[in-house]
Amino acid sequence: MAEARARDKSRKQAREAERAAAEAAAAKKRSRNRVLIGGAAVVGVAALVGGGYLAYLALTAPDTVTASCVRTDENGNEIVVEDSYCGTGRPGFVGDTASVVVLAGWPQYRYYYGGTTAIGSKPTGGTTVKPKNTEIKTKTGTTVQRGGLGSKIGGGS
């Protein structure tokens, strides 16, 4: 009889230990799920804020256009040349003023904005008209024009 009571007591303790272990595992699982959900919420909020910031930068940053130097001969043929031929004070550089084109002699150099340009080939897909409110840089990294509002320096008459 004492042996039967000892077995019953042992079984009862084993059941209680299993139940306590199951409750502890369930509590641990609930806690882990809460931590995961909280972490996912933090990551989601951070992604939302970061995405909003990147969208703001994309909307407010000026567009960037690449300027290439082109040589124009007396027949109007344009060939892309090295950037060192273009720039204020360079011989034959006419910039964006069409009235100087006739007076400057040949060859003439000016910037070509955008498009496909490879040295020694004819430029395509761009324009010789300087785009406004854009940042313009040459392939060598020289800034021709800063972009955005208020980038024009000088007064009017």
Side-chain angles (χ1 to χ4, degrees):
M1 201 61 134
E3 214 176 278
R5 274 187 278 191
R7 275 194 307 260
D8 287 341
K9 187 176 179 182
S10 176
R11 285 183 195 144
K12 187 176 179 184
Q13 286 176 347
R15 280 192 299 255
E16 286 180 20
E18 285 178 17
R19 187 178 50 80
E23 286 178 6
K28 185 176 179 182
K29 186 176 180 181
R30 280 192 304 272
S31 175
R32 186 179 59 208
N33 285 343
R34 288 180 183 154
V35 169
L36 288 175
I37 290 171
V42 169
V43 169
V45 169
L48 184 63
V49 170
Y53 180 70
L54 290 176
Y56 169 76
L57 287 179
L59 291 174
T60 59
D63 292 333
T64 301
V65 174
T66 302
S68 300
C69 187
V70 294
R71 180 186 70 203
T72 306
D73 64 16
E74 55 272 356
N75 297 325
N77 298 321
E78 294 179 327
I79 299 292
V80 180
V81 295
E82 293 180 19
D83 290 340
S84 61
Y85 289 98
C86 287
T88 306
R90 304 278 182 177
F93 179 69
V94 295
D96 296 317
T97 54
S99 60
V100 180
V101 172
V102 177
L103 304 174
W106 305 104
Q108 295 175 349
Y109 301 94
R110 69 181 319 158
Y111 283 118
Y112 191 85
Y113 306 102
T116 304
T117 55
I119 293 178
S121 66
K122 182 178 169 99
T124 58
T127 180
T128 55
V129 177
K130 184 186 271 188
K132 296 184 184 236
N133 296 326
T134 59
E135 180 180 29
I136 302 172
K137 289 190 173 198
T138 63
K139 290 180 181 178
T140 57
T142 305
T143 300
V144 175
Q145 171 179 295
R146 290 190 196 128
L149 299 173
S151 63
K152 183 176 180 182
I153 298 174
S157 53

